[in-house]
Amino acid sequence: MPRRNTYKEDEILEEPFDIKHLLRASGYIKKHAGKMGAALFFSALGGAAALVSPMIVQRALDIAVPNQDKDMLFRLVIAATVFYIVSVIMTTIRSHIMVNVSQDIIYQIRGDLFEHLQKLPFQYYDDRPHGKILVRVVNYVNSVSDMLSNGLINVILEIINLVFIIVFMFAVDVKLSLVVLAGVPFLMVFMFWIKNKQRKAWQAVSNKNSNLNAYLQENIVGARITQIFAREDENADIFKTLSSNCRKTWMKAVSYSTMVWPGIDTISVLVRAAIFMFALLVFSRGNESLGVIVAISSYASRFWQPIMNLGNIFNNFINNMAYLERIFETMDEPVTIDDAPDAKPIGKLVGEVTFENVSFSYEKGKEVLHDVSFSVKPGESVALVGPTGAGKSTIVSLISRFYDVQSGRILIDGQDISKVTLNSLRSQMGIMLQDSFIFSGTIGDNIRYGKLDATEAEIRRASKAVCADDFIKFMPKRYNTEVKERGALLSQGQKQLISFARTLLSDPAILVLDEATSSIDVQTEKALQKGLDAMLEGRTSFIIAHRLSTITKCDKIMYIDKGGITECGSHEELMAKKGDYYHLYTAQIDGMEVG
C-alpha cells in the first residue's frame, strides 16, 4: 500500500478553523480550570499593579518635584517600589502555576496519544514515515499544550491588560487618550498584512522540519544499509537539500517576525510624537502638564504591547489548530484490529487451527490469499513454503490476528478468532519473526519481556534450551548485561537466539516461526535443533523457513502460491508427487552441493 506521506512531501497544515477540535480539546483544559482561574487572578493583580507606576510618575512630576516636597517624593518612590514588587510576585506565581498546568496537559495528551498508537494495526505503521509520527507525539503536543494553557489565559490577560491601560489612560487625560487610539487603525492594517504572511511562513517551517525529521529517523535506523551500499554521499546530498529547505523557510519566517516589532515601534513613536504635538500645540496651546504628557506617553508605549501579543497569539492559535487537528487525526485513526463488543476470552488453547474459505488483501483489488481452507490438528507441525510474496507470512499474521480477513473465517479450537479477546489469543501464541527486535535494557529483561514474573532460573532454562546461554555466559554481566537500542553490538544470530528464549519462556500453545533461523549459522542451527524439537513438542506450530532441510520432519508441508495452497502433505509424499515442492527442494539441494 502506498505511503500517505514521505519525507519528500509536505504535510498540509493549512486547516480552516474547526470549532469541534477546540471543543474536544476543552476536555483537557477543564481538568485544570481551578488552577487556570487562580493564574488569571494573580496575573490581573500583577498587571494592575504595574499600571499604577505612570500615575505615580505623573504626581511626582506635577506635584512633588515643582513643590520640592521631598516627603511626598519619598512616599511615591516607596509606593512605586511596592507596586513593582507586587507585580513581580504575582507574575511569578502565575508563571509557576501555568508551567505545572502546561506540563500536565502535555502528559495527558501524550499519554492518550501513545496509548492509542499501541493499539493501531500493523497497516498504520506500514503506511507512513515513523519520523512524522514522532513529530506529532513530541513537537505538536508541546506546541498545542502551550496554546491550551498559556495561550487561552494570555488572550484573556491581554484583553484585560488592554482595558486597564485604556481606563488608566483616560483617567489621566481624555483628549490625549483619543490621540493614542487614533493610531489603532494603522496598526490593524499593518498587523493583518504581516500576520497572514508570518503564519504561512511558520507553517512552512513546520513542514520542512517534519520532512527532515522523517528522513533523519529513517537513516538512523538504516545506517548500516547506507554504509553497506556506500550511499553516504547521496544521502548527505538529500539531507543537505532538506536541511537547506529548513534553513530557507526559517530565514523567511524570521524575516517576517523581525518586521513586527520595528513596524509597531514606528507606529508607537509616531503616536508619541503626536501626543507631544497635540499636547503642546493643539490642546490648550501648551497648558497640558509635563506629568500628564509623560504618563500618557508611558501608557501609549504599553498600549501597543497587548495588541502585538494578541496578534502573536492569534497567529500561534491558527498554527496550533492545524497541529491539534493532526493529533486528533492520529487519535481517531481506527483501531481496525480490536476486541468485538461481545468478545470473550478464548480459554486455554489446545491448538486446533482451521481456515475456512479465507480471502485477504493488503490493497483493494489485489488479493494475496483467495478462498484458502485447511485444518491443523493440535500438536501438529506445519511448514509453509513457496515463492517470495506468495502469502506465507500473511497466513501466520492472520492466525495471530494482526490483520482481519476480508472473507471467510479462522477458527482456533472451534472458536472464531474475530470473536475472542486479543489478549487471551496472543498471550498463548509464540511468534518469532525474521526481524528479531531487541529492546534497550538487559538481556534478562528482553527474555522476560512476555512473562514479567519469570524467575532467573526460568530465564536460564529457556536460554539453555535454545542455545542462547552458550554466548550469554561469556557476556560481561551475563544476563544483566545491558544491550543498546535494537540490540546494537549483538550479532543477528545472537538477537535471534534471545528472541527464541523470549518466545519459549512465554510457554505458547501455538508457535509461529517466520524465517526464525535465517540469521543463525548452520552449526548453531544443528545445536539449536534439539531445543527446537523440545520447543515444538506438544505445540501446534507453523514454520516458514528458507532452508528446506530444516522442515523435512514437519507433519505437514503446504506449498503456497498463486493465492492458495497448491500442494499439501509430508515431505515424503510431496517428493514422491514430484510437483512444486519437489522442484523447489531439489533445486535447493543441488545448489548447496554445487556451492
Side-chain angles (χ1 to χ4, degrees):
M1 186 172 182
R3 288 181 181 272
R4 296 184 184 179
N5 196 263
T6 70
Y7 70 82
K8 299 177 182 179
E9 300 165 320
D10 292 341
E11 288 191 284
I12 304 301
L13 292 172
E14 187 73 28
E15 292 292 330
F17 176 79
D18 194 335
I19 190 65
K20 72 178 182 181
H21 298 317
L22 198 57
L23 292 175
R24 185 172 176 181
S26 66
Y28 293 99
I29 300 172
K30 289 177 182 177
K31 298 175 183 178
H32 307 283
K35 291 181 180 179
M36 294 175 76
L40 186 61
F41 172 74
F42 287 120
S43 292
L45 285 180
L51 290 172
V52 175
S53 296
M55 298 185 75
I56 294 175
V57 172
Q58 178 202 348
R59 293 183 64 82
L61 291 175
D62 286 350
I63 301 174
V65 172
N67 297 330
Q68 297 185 351
D69 190 338
K70 295 181 180 179
D71 290 338
M72 183 180 183
L73 187 62
F74 179 75
R75 288 194 301 272
L76 289 173
V77 170
I78 295 297
T81 302
V82 169
F83 278 111
Y84 173 77
I85 293 172
V86 169
S87 174
V88 170
I89 291 174
M90 295 297 103
T91 302
T92 302
I93 294 174
R94 179 257 183 187
S95 297
H96 181 73
I97 292 173
M98 292 314 299
V99 165
N100 287 326
V101 169
S102 178
Q103 288 304 308
D104 285 345
I105 291 176
I106 287 176
Y107 175 80
Q108 290 159 7
I109 295 178
R110 191 169 287 154
D112 290 346
L113 194 54
F114 182 77
E115 184 179 346
H116 188 71
L117 285 170
Q118 295 290 289
K119 299 176 183 178
L120 292 177
F122 288 2
Q123 193 74 56
Y124 176 81
Y125 298 97
D126 294 340
D127 289 349
R128 50 189 49 75
H130 295 171
K132 292 197 176 185
I133 299 175
L134 290 175
V135 165
R136 298 186 183 201
V137 178
V138 180
N139 301 50
Y140 289 0
V141 171
N142 286 345
S143 186
V144 162
S145 72
D146 188 60
M147 178 195 75
L148 296 180
S149 54
N150 287 309
L152 295 178
I153 286 288
N154 286 338
V155 168
I156 299 172
L157 285 176
E158 296 300 348
I159 292 174
I160 292 175
N161 195 25
L162 196 59
V163 171
F164 279 176
I165 291 172
I166 293 173
V167 169
F168 276 83
M169 193 163 57
F170 272 85
V172 173
D173 190 281
V174 175
K175 292 180 180 178
L176 291 180
S177 297
L178 292 174
V179 172
V180 175
L181 293 180
V184 172
F186 298 99
L187 177 66
M188 297 305 292
V189 170
F190 171 73
M191 292 293 286
F192 180 80
W193 175 79
I194 194 71
K195 286 301 173 184
N196 188 47
K197 293 183 177 294
Q198 194 179 16
R199 176 170 60 87
K200 291 181 179 180
W202 283 111
Q203 284 179 345
V205 170
S206 180
N207 285 335
K208 301 308 179 185
N209 282 334
S210 179
N211 294 344
L212 184 66
N213 191 70
Y215 187 72
L216 184 60
Q217 188 271 343
E218 183 179 271
N219 274 267
I220 290 173
V221 174
R224 294 183 179 181
I225 305 300
T226 296
Q227 295 183 27
I228 288 171
F229 288 95
R231 276 268 309 193
E232 292 91 343
D233 292 341
E234 291 83 353
N235 288 2
D237 287 341
I238 295 173
F239 185 83
K240 184 178 179 180
T241 300
L242 293 172
S243 186
S244 176
N245 290 338
C246 287
R247 181 181 179 277
K248 289 176 183 177
T249 54
W250 175 270
M251 293 301 293
K252 184 176 181 180
V254 168
S255 68
Y256 285 124
S257 294
T258 55
M259 290 174 62
V260 173
W261 178 246
I264 293 176
D265 196 46
T266 299
I267 296 173
S268 177
V269 169
L270 292 175
V271 167
R272 276 180 285 173
I275 290 171
F276 283 94
M277 184 183 71
F278 276 80
L280 299 174
L281 302 177
V282 179
F283 300 144
S284 303
R285 297 197 177 275
N287 289 337
E288 296 286 354
S289 70
L290 177 62
V292 169
I293 294 173
V294 171
I296 291 295
S297 179
S298 178
Y299 283 126
S301 297
R302 296 167 183 252
F303 178 77
W304 306 110
Q305 190 62 47
I307 296 177
M308 185 178 73
N309 290 343
L310 285 171
N312 288 333
I313 292 169
F314 172 77
N315 187 43
N316 188 46
F317 183 80
I318 295 299
N319 281 344
N320 279 289
M321 284 304 295
Y323 299 157
L324 193 63
E325 193 271 342
R326 290 292 174 270
I327 291 170
F328 287 145
E329 176 188 73
T330 304
M331 287 185 180
D332 292 338
E333 193 71 32
V335 180
T336 55
I337 310 298
D338 201 5
D339 293 339
D342 57 347
K344 298 178 181 179
I346 197 169
K348 186 172 178 59
L349 291 183
V350 176
E352 181 182 11
V353 178
T354 304
F355 271 49
E356 292 184 351
N357 307 110
V358 169
S359 294
F360 175 80
S361 62
Y362 295 101
E363 294 182 64
K364 191 175 181 180
K366 295 183 179 180
E367 278 192 331
V368 178
L369 299 177
H370 176 72
D371 200 27
V372 173
S373 297
F374 64 84
S375 183
V376 178
K377 296 177 182 178
E380 277 192 326
S381 57
V382 180
L384 305 177
V385 301
T388 301
K392 303 184 295 296
S393 295
T394 299
I395 288 176
V396 295
S397 293
L398 291 175
I399 295 171
S400 311
R401 206 183 160 215
F402 292 135
Y403 302 91
D404 275 334
V405 300
Q406 268 81 53
S407 63
R409 61 178 186 161
I410 300 172
L411 307 175
I412 296 183
D413 295 347
Q415 300 182 65
D416 189 335
I417 63 171
S418 66
K419 297 180 180 178
V420 302
T421 60
L422 286 171
N423 185 62
S424 68
L425 172 66
R426 292 178 184 169
S427 63
Q428 299 184 74
M429 299 189 70
I431 303 166
M432 270 287 300
L433 301 176
Q434 187 173 5
D435 180 17
S436 301
F437 193 93
I438 301 297
F439 297 91
S440 57
T442 67
I443 291 176
D445 288 339
N446 270 279
I447 294 174
R448 66 161 58 91
Y449 190 82
K451 188 181 180 182
L452 297 178
D453 59 349
T455 64
E456 294 296 325
E458 289 175 322
I459 292 173
R460 284 194 296 272
R461 189 161 52 249
S463 299
K464 287 179 180 179
V466 299
C467 302
D469 187 70
D470 292 347
F471 78 87
I472 294 175
K473 64 185 179 184
F474 294 110
M475 301 295 281
K477 295 183 180 179
R478 297 171 62 86
Y479 289 88
N480 290 321
T481 301
E482 292 280 341
V483 291
K484 298 181 180 179
E485 186 179 10
R486 297 185 68 87
L489 305 182
L490 292 174
S491 70
Q492 191 63 32
Q494 288 173 332
K495 287 191 282 186
Q496 285 195 312
L497 290 175
I498 290 173
S499 297
F500 265 118
R502 178 167 60 198
T503 302
L504 180 60
L505 184 64
S506 66
D507 192 24
I510 297 177
L511 186 63
V512 174
L513 304 178
D514 187 352
E515 298 280 13
T517 61
S518 61
S519 297
I520 299 174
D521 60 82
V522 176
Q523 186 177 354
T524 304
E525 187 175 46
K526 288 180 179 178
L528 177 62
Q529 196 61 51
K530 290 182 180 179
L532 282 176
D533 291 341
M535 201 173 176
L536 298 177
E537 188 176 352
R539 294 184 172 92
T540 304
S541 55
F542 293 85
I543 305 169
I544 300 173
H546 71 284
R547 288 204 288 265
L548 301 183
S549 58
T550 62
I551 52 96
T552 56
K553 294 181 180 179
C554 287
D555 298 314
K556 188 183 294 183
I557 298 172
M558 296 192 298
Y559 192 95
I560 313 298
D561 194 14
K562 299 176 183 178
I565 303 169
T566 61
E567 292 181 352
C568 182
S570 66
H571 172 72
E572 291 76 15
E573 290 171 342
L574 295 182
M575 289 299 289
K577 192 175 181 180
K578 294 191 176 181
D580 293 330
Y581 176 77
Y582 170 84
H583 294 297
L584 182 65
Y585 184 83
T586 53
Q588 190 173 107
I589 296 300
D590 291 342
M592 291 174 64
E593 290 176 352
V594 171

